Amino acid sequence: MSTAALPLSSRQATTYAYFVLAMLTLLNLLNYIDRYIFSALVPYIKADTGYTDAQLGLIGSAFTWVYTLCSPLFGYFGDRYHRGRLIAVGIFVWSLATAGAGLARSLWQLLVARAAVGVGEANYATIAPSLLADYFPKARRGLAMSIFQATIPIGAAAGFVLGGYLGAPDMFGWRCALLIVGVPGLLAALTMFFIREPQRGVMDEPLAPPTQALPGEPSQPKEVGWLKGYWQLLVNRGYLLTCLGYAGVTFALGALVFWAPEWMKADKGLSEKEANLVLGICAVVGGTLGSLIGGLLGDALNRRLRGVRGYFLVCAVSAGLASVPMFIALVATTPLVYQVCTFITLLLVYLGNGPANTLVVSLVAPNLRTTATGLLVVAIHVFGDGISLALVGWISTHLRELAQAGQSPPAFVVTLATLCGLSPAAQTLSVALLLMPVALVVAGLLYGLGTITPEATRDNPASPA
């Protein structure tokens, strides 16, 4: 049974809101450790099993596609049922699947296990932001979302470091590493059963859409039908541009993070442990700073600009600027240069992470927020890393096979690689990853268009025009 949140002025309600933020943030950290440790283990899995880049890219995409397909379903449930209990089920599923991947004895078993991780994480990623939005008012929502999202780079860094060290053959090996990080989530799932369910939209001022409430109780928006809800989202231009801009960022960041350990090993000459340590430091410092600064900057700009244009501006500028250091990191040969540029890339990309998630929950009505987050997940993975992970693996494998057969790559690939100072035969992952800076430029343009939409300039963008 749902329990209404106390008014914002209540000290108890404010304290409990930050308690919920802390709980969801810690669980999000565990979520991303489980997600990204697999990327760190790719070199060890490849050496142990002999799987190709294309096969490993397929496993990465299997997680992404299942995660994507399940998100609308959890979006539907999240707008109708107790969100804490739904989240608890998701944590249990992804943790069990992570541990199960360590027991896989074939390519298909490993693929199924990683796909199951996508089921549990789709549940959590879709529902948690809407729960947070009902605990924090608009003025503090950007910072709350950024704190929550800051665990993405920290979790990624922890995944890289834990995978790089625990997964090494002279330590526990990649199978035991997956078991070690999967088991704690089974216990953490229990905590979410006790989280109070707040009234949806209670922190919105004014509430949109307006509804009748009993005396002394916050207004509770009515449920919207499945088709009508999606139609409202699809005609919301600000929301659509947010989804597409986020997809461009995810196309670039998803591929970079998944392939970075193998890229630094194969093309930059680092060992597995060195590559994962570098990436861990870049992610935890650059990503965390970017997330927190982005939230503060977005809230500050939003107080000066009408509607939610401040959040759009942070997203647009950070994505566009990130394309420059990312390109330099791919073509640089000096370790200090490509390592520093990787750090700057992650800092800039994560600068827009909190503001982007704030846009999603602020541009739509309270009774559609979980559905909107679910559709966002579909968009960013169908048009983002659902394509880029496998595409980079396929391009790299194809270029390597051509080189081994003594054949030349297509002329445009040779020309592009030569202009960038890369070898299309020896630096195949670097050549494939050249798509990523382009994706960031496109993302910046899409976010920029979002600043001029009617929804972005409306004082209460979640309300009907």
Side-chain angles (χ1 to χ4, degrees):
M1 184 174 180
S2 297
T3 305
L6 294 175
L8 181 62
S9 59
S10 166
R11 177 179 296 181
Q12 181 181 359
T14 302
T15 301
Y16 193 77
Y18 281 100
F19 166 74
V20 172
L21 174 61
M23 288 296 302
L24 291 175
T25 300
L26 289 172
L27 289 168
N28 208 35
L29 174 65
L30 186 60
N31 175 8
Y32 280 91
I33 290 175
D34 283 10
R35 183 181 302 191
Y36 283 108
I37 193 170
F38 188 81
S39 298
L41 296 173
V42 163
Y44 300 133
I45 297 172
K46 185 177 179 180
D48 182 43
T49 63
Y51 298 152
T52 66
D53 287 347
Q55 289 173 318
L56 291 167
L58 180 63
I59 293 172
S61 291
F63 162 85
T64 302
W65 282 106
V66 171
Y67 179 87
T68 300
L69 292 172
C70 288
S71 295
L73 176 64
F74 292 123
Y76 178 86
F77 289 149
D79 279 328
R80 289 158 177 80
Y81 303 110
H82 192 289
R83 288 169 284 186
R85 292 167 191 163
L86 288 171
I87 286 172
V89 174
I91 298 169
F92 183 85
V93 171
W94 97 52
S95 301
L96 187 64
T98 297
L103 304 176
R105 297 299 169 183
S106 70
L107 176 69
W108 289 106
Q109 289 176 3
L110 188 58
L111 185 147
V112 169
R114 289 302 294 174
V117 174
V119 175
E121 294 197 10
N123 173 306
Y124 188 79
T126 302
I127 298 172
S130 75
L131 189 60
L132 273 181
D134 288 332
Y135 274 107
F136 289 90
K138 179 184 173 183
R140 296 205 302 268
R141 199 172 284 161
L143 179 60
M145 289 293 176
S146 292
I147 292 172
F148 175 74
Q149 296 293 332
T151 54
I152 298 177
I154 297 173
F160 282 131
V161 174
L162 289 172
Y165 283 87
L166 297 180
D170 57 346
M171 290 292 290
F172 295 100
W174 67 270
R175 296 182 184 279
C176 286
L178 289 170
L179 288 167
I180 290 170
V181 300
V183 171
L186 300 175
L187 300 176
L190 296 175
T191 61
M192 291 309 298
F193 276 97
F194 303 101
I195 294 295
R196 293 171 56 204
E197 177 71 9
Q199 291 281 1
R200 298 172 198 268
V202 69
M203 291 298 179
D204 286 30
E205 300 173 0
L207 182 65
T211 56
Q212 296 295 321
L214 295 175
E217 291 187 359
S219 297
Q220 178 76 1
K222 297 178 181 178
E223 289 184 5
V224 177
W226 187 79
L227 290 177
K228 184 178 179 180
Y230 277 107
W231 175 250
Q232 289 182 17
L233 295 176
L234 292 174
V235 298
N236 185 324
R237 284 160 288 182
Y239 169 76
L240 286 181
L241 286 168
T242 300
C243 290
L244 293 175
Y246 210 150
V249 171
T250 305
F251 185 98
L253 184 62
L256 176 65
V257 170
F258 184 85
W259 288 110
E262 182 65 13
W263 164 60
M264 286 195 171
K265 175 194 171 188
D267 292 8
K268 301 298 186 183
L270 300 183
S271 68
E272 291 92 340
K273 289 183 180 180
E274 289 171 338
N276 282 305
L277 180 60
V278 168
L279 290 166
I281 293 173
C282 289
V284 74
V285 180
T288 304
L289 283 176
S291 294
L292 296 177
I293 293 171
L296 292 169
L297 184 59
D299 284 346
L301 283 174
N302 234 48
R303 286 192 288 269
R304 296 174 177 271
L305 299 173
R306 186 179 178 187
V308 291
R309 291 180 64 208
Y311 297 124
F312 268 119
L313 284 173
V314 173
C315 294
V317 173
S318 62
L321 289 178
S323 65
V324 178
M326 189 168 193
F327 175 78
I328 296 172
L330 293 172
V331 302
T333 56
T334 305
L336 181 62
V337 174
Y338 66 73
Q339 290 171 15
V340 169
C341 284
T342 300
F343 171 84
I344 296 172
T345 298
L346 292 174
L347 186 148
L348 289 172
V349 168
Y350 280 107
L351 198 72
N353 211 20
N357 282 274
T358 305
L359 283 171
V360 172
V361 298
S362 298
L363 286 166
V364 303
N367 53 344
L368 283 176
R369 281 177 177 153
T370 311
T371 299
T373 305
L375 186 57
L376 169 72
V377 171
V378 172
I380 66 177
H381 295 303
V382 167
F383 300 109
D385 55 3
I387 300 172
S388 63
L389 266 63
L391 181 60
V392 168
W394 180 85
I395 293 172
S396 176
T397 298
H398 182 63
L399 292 176
R400 188 172 294 112
E401 288 174 346
L402 289 175
Q404 291 171 350
Q407 301 177 20
S408 297
F412 78 91
V413 175
V414 175
T415 301
L416 178 63
T418 301
L419 289 173
C420 296
L422 298 172
S423 168
Q427 295 173 292
T428 58
L429 276 174
S430 294
V431 173
L433 286 167
L434 286 173
L435 289 170
M436 305 310 117
V438 178
L440 288 171
V441 172
V442 172
L445 292 174
L446 290 167
Y447 279 131
L449 288 174
T451 64
I452 59 175
T453 59
E455 295 83 5
T457 56
R458 198 176 296 153
D459 287 329
N460 183 17
S463 297

